[in-house]
């Protein structure tokens, strides 16, 4: 039996997950979990990147103590955030968190130099104020001049573990710097930023083996014999590999976590004017695919609601309280920038409801219900756009990630879509990460075989759509909320 370990780090936590194929099924178990969060220093938000590296090493120490002497290892994290290195491999600056406010207004300023339409034709990437393109646009130019290498967060972690510098392709595509035609960093965009191609590493496909851990790390820690494998380092790209889409039915996916990413897998990019107007993105996927998807604010809203409520409760309890609250009392436009990083999510939601003439959610349960119903309606809008843009109808929606455990949200989504929803596995990101390692080692044949194996290895829950009472009036009210003058 070959051992594989996925390092899967999100905005609030990270973990090391062991995976193996046993009797044709993928079996996983969590080895180690740790916290992650950004910290505010002198008015800006930064990640503690050294903490992440130390926690990876701590997890590997525990893995060896638990009997894992040999393994492969792959790393995925969130996208867009970067590390600047000098010629000696040292960091030039701390790592900004994408929710930092420094990029507010940056896209408008950037597009005074080059039109938004031209950037979308080049890159096919949706405009989000925190894309790497805009982060670098506002970064201190003197620091950029001194930069020898620009790595995204998982690339940097691979570098610290192996000494090799790469820019993994699925994550590199989220920077809004890759040209769709040749798949390389676009020289015109780099020129506007005052950068050149030499400041980026080799673009590397998932499935490449990087080699062993650095000898100095093995000497300093009691670590297993690890071979590092490049996986889809953007967590969404790994999650899409982990979608249990067995068979040939047309399917869409919703990777439901801190962010909700709704889309489909394409063989070719779709960077039309209509796709740009709907703010759809063409991110690179594993094995020559494109992830045509839309970013939706996601469960960040409920995570922040739990945090600011100061109530000691689980997410499951929040869902239960939401189920007990009256339906469709108040709705919010989830993708409004005001919900990206407010000081108090509950008060921001109530302010939005007040400004749009709606009933204010009074309890935490009512706030949670407002979020879940608004997300489900946003998913419905995105699915209609997706079908219109691609010219196809999707028979099912696969919901994967932590949000696949949210029974209320999943059922609301099925009801409003009028399509069956298949929820699970909740660990799709780690599973997709592990699947690519297994393909690289020859344990699985290809991504189709991986998805069939995943479908047969983990429980999947089907949600059948139910009639929605007063559906027409609800959708009319939702339209008014989305087009309210508060925008």
């Amino acid at each position: 039996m070959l051992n594989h370990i996925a390092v899967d780090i999100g905005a609030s936590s990270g973990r090391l997950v062991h995976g193996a194929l046993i009797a044709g099924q993928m079996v996983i178990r969590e080895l180690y979990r740790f916290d992650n969060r950004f910290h505010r220093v002198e008015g800006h938000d930064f990640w503690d990147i050294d903490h992440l590296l130390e926690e990876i090493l701590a997890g590997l120490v525990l893995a060896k103590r638990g009997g894992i002497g040999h393994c492969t290892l792959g790393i995925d994290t969130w996208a867009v955030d970067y590390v600047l290195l000098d010629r000696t491999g040292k960091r030039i600056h701390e790592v900004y968190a994408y929710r930092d406010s420094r990029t507010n207004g940056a896209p408008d300023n950037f597009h005074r130099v080059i039109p938004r339409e031209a950037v979308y034709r080049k890159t096919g990437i949706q405009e989000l104020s925190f894309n790497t393109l805009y982060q670098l646009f506002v970064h201190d130019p003197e620091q950029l001049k001194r930069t020898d290498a620009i790595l995204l967060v998982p690339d940097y972690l691979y570098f610290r573990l192996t000494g090799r510098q790469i820019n993994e392709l699925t994550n590199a595509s989220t920077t809004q710097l890759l040209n769709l035609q040749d798949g390389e960093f676009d020289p015109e965009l780099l020129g506007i930023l005052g950068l050149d191609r030499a400041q980026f590493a080799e673009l590397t496909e998932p499935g490449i083996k990087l080699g062993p851990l650095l000898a100095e790390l093995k000497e300093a820690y009691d670590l297993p014999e690890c071979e590092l494998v490049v996986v889809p380092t953007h967590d969404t790209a790994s999650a899409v590999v982990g979608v249990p889409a067995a068979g040939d039915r047309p399917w869409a996916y919703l990777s439901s976590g801190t962010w909700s990413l709704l889309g489909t897998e394409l063989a070719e990019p779709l960077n039309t004017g209509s796709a740009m107007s709907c703010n759809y993105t063409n991110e690179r996927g594993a094995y020559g695919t494109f992830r045509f998807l839309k970013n939706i604010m996601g469960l960040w809203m409920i995570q922040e609601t739990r945090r600011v409520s100061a109530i000691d409760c689980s997410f499951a309890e929040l869902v239960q309280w939401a189920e007990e609250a009256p339906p469709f009392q108040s709705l919010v436009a989830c993708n409004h920038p005001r919900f990206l990083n407010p000081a108090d999510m509950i008060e921001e939601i109530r302010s939005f409801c007040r400004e749009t003439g709606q009933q204010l959610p009074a309890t935490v349960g009512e706030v949670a219900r407002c979020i879940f119903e608004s997300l489900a309606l946003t998913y419905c809008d995105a699915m209609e756009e997706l079908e219109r843009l691609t010219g196809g109808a999707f028979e099912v929606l696969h919901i994967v990630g932590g949000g696949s455990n949210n029974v209320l949200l999943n059922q609301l989504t099925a009801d409003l879509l009028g399509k069956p929803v298949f929820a699970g596995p909740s660990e799709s990101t780690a599973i997709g990460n592990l699947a690519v390692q297994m393909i690289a080692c020859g344990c699985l044949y290809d991504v189709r075989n991986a998805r069939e194996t995943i479908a047969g290895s983990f429980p999947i829950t089907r949600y059948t759509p139910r009639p929605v009472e007063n559906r027409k009036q609800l959708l009319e009210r939702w339209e008014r909320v989305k087009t309210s003058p508060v925008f």
Side-chain angles (χ1 to χ4, degrees):
M1 180 183 77
L2 292 178
N3 295 303
H4 313 277
I5 296 178
V7 176
D8 174 28
I9 306 176
S12 59
S13 67
R15 65 261 181 80
L16 277 69
V17 178
H18 172 263
L21 283 178
I22 301 176
Q25 288 200 319
M26 187 184 295
V27 178
I28 67 170
R29 61 189 173 96
E30 186 175 290
L31 299 173
Y32 183 62
R33 179 176 287 267
F34 53 91
D35 289 335
N36 182 38
R37 63 180 59 87
F38 53 79
H39 303 277
R40 180 157 285 257
V41 180
E42 296 182 353
H44 290 285
D45 296 320
F46 299 99
W47 300 108
D48 186 348
I49 199 79
D50 291 326
H51 164 74
L52 299 182
L53 180 65
E54 287 297 325
E55 292 288 14
I56 292 171
L57 294 171
L60 287 175
V61 169
L62 287 179
K64 185 172 183 182
R65 290 177 185 171
I68 298 175
H70 295 78
C71 64
T72 63
L73 183 77
I75 304 170
D76 69 78
T77 78
W78 64 96
V80 304
D81 289 339
Y82 57 89
V83 186
L84 305 180
L85 301 180
D86 65 16
R87 293 184 183 278
T88 69
K90 302 297 183 184
R91 289 198 309 274
I92 289 174
H93 195 271
E94 291 308 308
V95 182
Y96 283 107
Y98 62 85
R99 293 188 190 273
D100 185 74
S101 62
R102 71 196 175 109
T103 56
N104 291 351
D108 290 340
N109 292 330
F110 188 84
H111 295 313
R112 292 190 180 100
V113 183
I114 180 172
R116 179 184 178 221
E117 293 79 7
V119 176
Y120 191 78
R121 282 195 302 271
K122 284 174 175 290
T123 68
I125 298 298
Q126 65 184 321
E127 183 170 294
L128 296 168
S129 64
F130 49 74
N131 286 350
T132 318
L133 174 68
Y134 305 123
Q135 290 200 52
L136 290 170
F137 183 62
V138 300
H139 200 104
D140 180 353
E142 291 303 315
Q143 289 186 357
L144 294 181
K145 286 179 182 177
R146 293 191 287 113
T147 295
D148 185 67
I150 302 173
L151 305 180
L152 296 186
V153 166
D155 300 329
Y156 176 72
L157 294 172
Y158 272 117
F159 168 62
R160 291 294 304 274
L161 292 174
T162 68
R164 291 186 60 182
Q165 293 184 4
I166 62 168
N167 282 132
E168 189 275 321
L169 187 63
T170 70
N171 216 0
S173 70
T174 71
T175 63
Q176 208 176 1
L177 286 169
L178 295 194
N179 190 293
L180 281 177
Q181 298 305 311
D182 60 12
E184 259 293 348
F185 289 95
D186 185 86
E188 183 180 11
L189 296 178
L190 292 183
I192 294 171
L193 299 176
L195 301 172
D196 61 60
R197 178 62 181 86
Q199 291 173 287
F200 293 87
E202 178 185 358
L203 285 166
T204 306
E205 297 265 7
I208 299 297
K209 295 179 179 179
L210 281 186
L213 290 166
L214 287 169
E216 62 205 58
L217 291 176
K218 293 179 65 177
E219 291 174 7
Y221 301 83
D222 187 18
L223 303 177
E225 295 290 333
C226 277
E227 181 170 34
L228 278 289
V229 175
V230 179
V231 299
T233 62
H234 184 196
D235 50 12
T236 306
S238 275
V240 172
V241 174
V243 172
D248 297 316
R249 287 192 301 176
W251 54 277
Y253 60 81
L254 173 62
S255 179
S256 180
T258 299
W259 285 92
S260 293
L261 298 310
L262 190 147
T264 192
E265 198 171 62
L266 298 179
E268 299 292 337
L270 185 60
N271 61 328
T272 61
S274 297
M276 184 188 74
S277 297
C278 294
N279 215 24
Y280 270 73
T281 200
N282 294 270
E283 297 172 358
R284 297 276 179 159
Y287 307 111
T289 60
F290 288 86
R291 289 173 288 126
F292 186 67
L293 62 85
K294 185 166 193 169
N295 274 52
I296 298 166
M297 200 66 73
L299 296 176
W300 159 257
M301 298 178 73
I302 202 71
Q303 292 164 359
E304 281 295 282
T305 294
R306 178 178 179 238
R307 182 183 69 83
V308 302
S309 71
I311 299 174
D312 185 14
C313 64
S314 65
F315 289 116
E317 287 174 313
L318 272 176
V319 173
Q320 179 183 338
W321 296 340
E323 288 173 336
E324 296 166 355
F328 298 110
Q329 279 193 324
S330 48
L331 302 168
V332 296
C334 303
N335 271 8
H336 194 289
R338 68 196 294 169
F339 299 120
L340 180 65
N341 193 17
D344 187 322
M345 183 66 74
I346 292 175
E347 285 308 310
E348 199 66 45
I349 287 170
R350 287 173 176 158
S351 294
F352 184 96
C353 292
R354 185 181 300 110
E355 293 165 23
T356 51
Q358 300 183 81
Q359 182 171 327
L360 271 60
T363 67
V364 173
E366 289 177 3
V367 171
R369 178 120 200 168
C370 169
I371 292 170
F372 296 143
E373 290 172 342
S374 300
L375 283 173
L377 284 161
T378 305
Y379 299 159
C380 189
D381 286 347
M383 179 68 92
E384 289 177 359
E385 290 175 341
L386 184 65
E387 291 184 332
R388 184 175 72 254
L389 292 169
T390 60
F394 299 100
E395 294 183 15
V396 299
L397 175 67
H398 285 278
I399 299 181
V400 296
S404 67
N405 295 319
N406 190 322
V407 174
L408 173 61
L409 181 55
N410 295 340
Q411 187 64 61
L412 283 167
T413 302
D415 296 346
L416 290 164
L417 284 177
K419 297 177 186 288
V421 164
F422 292 88
S426 60
E427 304 296 336
S428 61
T429 301
I431 289 167
N433 178 322
L434 292 165
V436 172
Q437 296 181 54
M438 292 175 182
I439 293 170
C441 294
C443 302
L444 294 170
Y445 302 121
D446 54 24
V447 70
R448 184 183 181 94
N449 178 220
R451 285 175 174 152
E452 290 170 347
T453 301
I454 292 164
S457 301
F458 302 97
I460 312 296
T461 303
R462 178 187 173 116
Y463 291 85
T464 301
R466 306 171 305 188
V468 177
E469 188 175 351
N470 299 319
R471 182 188 184 93
K472 182 180 178 182
Q473 293 89 331
L474 171 63
L475 294 180
E476 288 173 350
R477 184 156 65 92
W478 174 236
E479 195 64 32
R480 289 195 298 273
V481 167
K482 292 187 299 179
T483 57
S484 167
V486 300
F487 291 89

